[in-house]
């Protein structure tokens, strides 16, 4: 009888932390939401929208499908939220680069270096963008949030370019969106195509020396493209 009582007591004591944990998740919706987004970002990056499974995301976040649908409405809603959060993070860091405090060429070098490094360190972001391109950009096109996030990013390049023009450092006739596209393309390729490129040309694209060389080359190419003759 005493063993039965002690056994029940032990089960009751063990259940309390679990109950507190569940309550903690319920009472901290922002943390729960953020955790779901983090896990979903990996799932969507690896498998795309079609291949990702809400069951898998629910299991990895120790939550339920019902809770995920409560926060995001649907699988597509979660995918869009992941895209928006991914773009928000990169644009938030860009805003902290303090490009206006640097001379134009130094600011340009910092921007290119940041873009190269960010893409290299956030492969899931690149995979998400590749996945969205397979979908022909339909979810990004429908997101006012992502559209708005890009406004200050382009404005920063416009100010940088205008200062370079005024000081005679940059050549005239260029467009801020085109500059942004060139920086993005040169940085993106090193992640999106590194496996195929490495296999074709027998290169170790993950080697420190290779990455450092590519980083310097990309920065130099963009600066030379903008530099006045």
């Amino acid at each position: 009888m005493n063993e039965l009582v002690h056994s029940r007591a032990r089960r009751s004591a063990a259940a309390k932390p679990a109950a507190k944990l569940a309550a903690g998740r319920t009472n901290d919706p922002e943390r729960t939401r953020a955790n779901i987004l983090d896990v979903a970002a990996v799932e969507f990056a690896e498998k795309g929208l079609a291949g990702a499974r809400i069951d898998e995301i629910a299991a990895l976040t120790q939550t339920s499908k019902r809770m995920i649908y409560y926060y995001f409405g649907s699988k597509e809603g979660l995918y869009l939220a992941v895209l928006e959060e991914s773009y928000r993070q990169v644009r938030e860091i860009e805003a902290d680069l303090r490009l206006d405090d640097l001379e134009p060429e130094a600011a340009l070098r910092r921007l290119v270096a940041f873009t190269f490094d960010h893409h290299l360190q956030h492969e899931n972001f690149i995979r998400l963008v590749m996945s969205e391109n397979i979908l022909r950009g339909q979810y990004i096109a429908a997101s006012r949030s992502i559209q708005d996030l890009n406004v200050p990013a382009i404005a920063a390049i416009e100010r940088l370019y205008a200062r370079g023009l005024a000081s005679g450092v940059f050549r005239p006739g260029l467009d801020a969106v085109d500059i942004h596209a060139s920086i993005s393309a040169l940085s993106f390729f090193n992640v999106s195509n590194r496996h195929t490129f490495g296999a074709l040309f027998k290169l170790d694209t993950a080697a420190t020396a290779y990455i450092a060389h590519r980083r310097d080359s990309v920065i130099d190419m963009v600066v030379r493209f903008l530099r006045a003759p």
Side-chain angles (χ1 to χ4, degrees):
M1 181 67 177
N2 287 339
E3 289 181 2
L4 180 59
V5 171
H6 290 316
S7 175
R8 287 174 176 173
R10 283 195 297 270
R11 287 200 300 268
S12 177
K16 288 180 180 178
K20 288 182 179 179
L21 180 61
R25 287 199 297 266
T26 303
N27 294 331
D28 193 355
E30 287 304 313
R31 184 175 180 180
T32 300
R33 189 178 188 278
N35 187 33
I36 293 170
L37 285 174
D38 287 343
V39 171
V42 177
E43 180 77 359
F44 285 123
E46 288 293 323
K47 302 174 184 175
L49 175 58
R53 294 290 177 263
I54 294 295
D55 285 330
E56 183 70 13
I57 297 168
L60 291 172
T61 55
Q62 297 183 349
T63 185
S64 64
K65 290 174 65 174
R66 181 179 179 183
M67 182 66 73
I68 293 173
Y69 290 137
Y70 171 78
Y71 282 115
F72 302 101
S74 63
K75 179 181 176 182
E76 291 75 16
L78 176 57
Y79 171 76
L80 179 56
V82 166
L83 279 177
E84 290 176 341
E85 178 61 16
S86 298
Y87 274 93
R88 185 196 65 77
Q89 288 177 4
V90 66
R91 297 304 179 225
E92 188 176 74
I93 301 171
E94 278 180 348
D96 292 334
L97 293 178
R98 304 183 68 86
L99 300 179
D100 294 336
D101 296 342
L102 299 173
E103 292 299 317
E105 185 171 312
L108 179 62
R109 288 180 178 276
R110 177 177 288 184
L111 177 60
V112 179
F114 160 74
T115 306
F116 185 96
D117 293 343
H118 179 274
H119 286 5
L120 189 67
Q121 295 161 11
H122 295 81
E123 185 172 353
N124 282 339
F125 174 71
I126 303 302
R127 287 177 174 271
L128 284 168
V129 175
M130 292 168 67
S131 176
E132 179 62 8
N133 273 284
I134 291 174
L135 296 172
R136 291 173 167 72
Q138 60 177 297
Y139 289 91
I140 283 181
S143 172
R144 181 58 183 270
S145 171
I146 295 177
Q147 307 296 323
D148 290 345
L149 283 169
N150 281 323
V151 172
I154 298 303
I157 296 177
E158 288 175 339
R159 292 194 305 273
L160 167 58
Y161 180 57
R163 290 194 295 116
L165 280 178
S167 64
V169 174
F170 297 152
R171 64 186 177 93
L174 301 179
D175 175 75
V177 174
D178 186 53
I179 294 169
H180 173 71
S182 297
I183 295 171
S184 179
L186 288 167
S187 301
F188 194 95
F189 180 91
N190 295 284
V191 182
S192 66
N193 290 52
R194 65 183 174 188
H195 300 295
T196 53
F197 196 78
L200 284 171
F201 297 101
K202 305 299 184 290
L203 295 169
D204 182 2
T205 56
T208 301
Y210 176 85
I211 292 170
H213 173 72
R214 283 300 305 156
R215 187 179 190 270
D216 289 344
S217 294
V218 169
I219 294 171
D220 192 48
M221 278 188 275
V222 175
V223 170
R224 287 173 179 268
F225 174 64
L226 268 73
R227 188 180 286 160

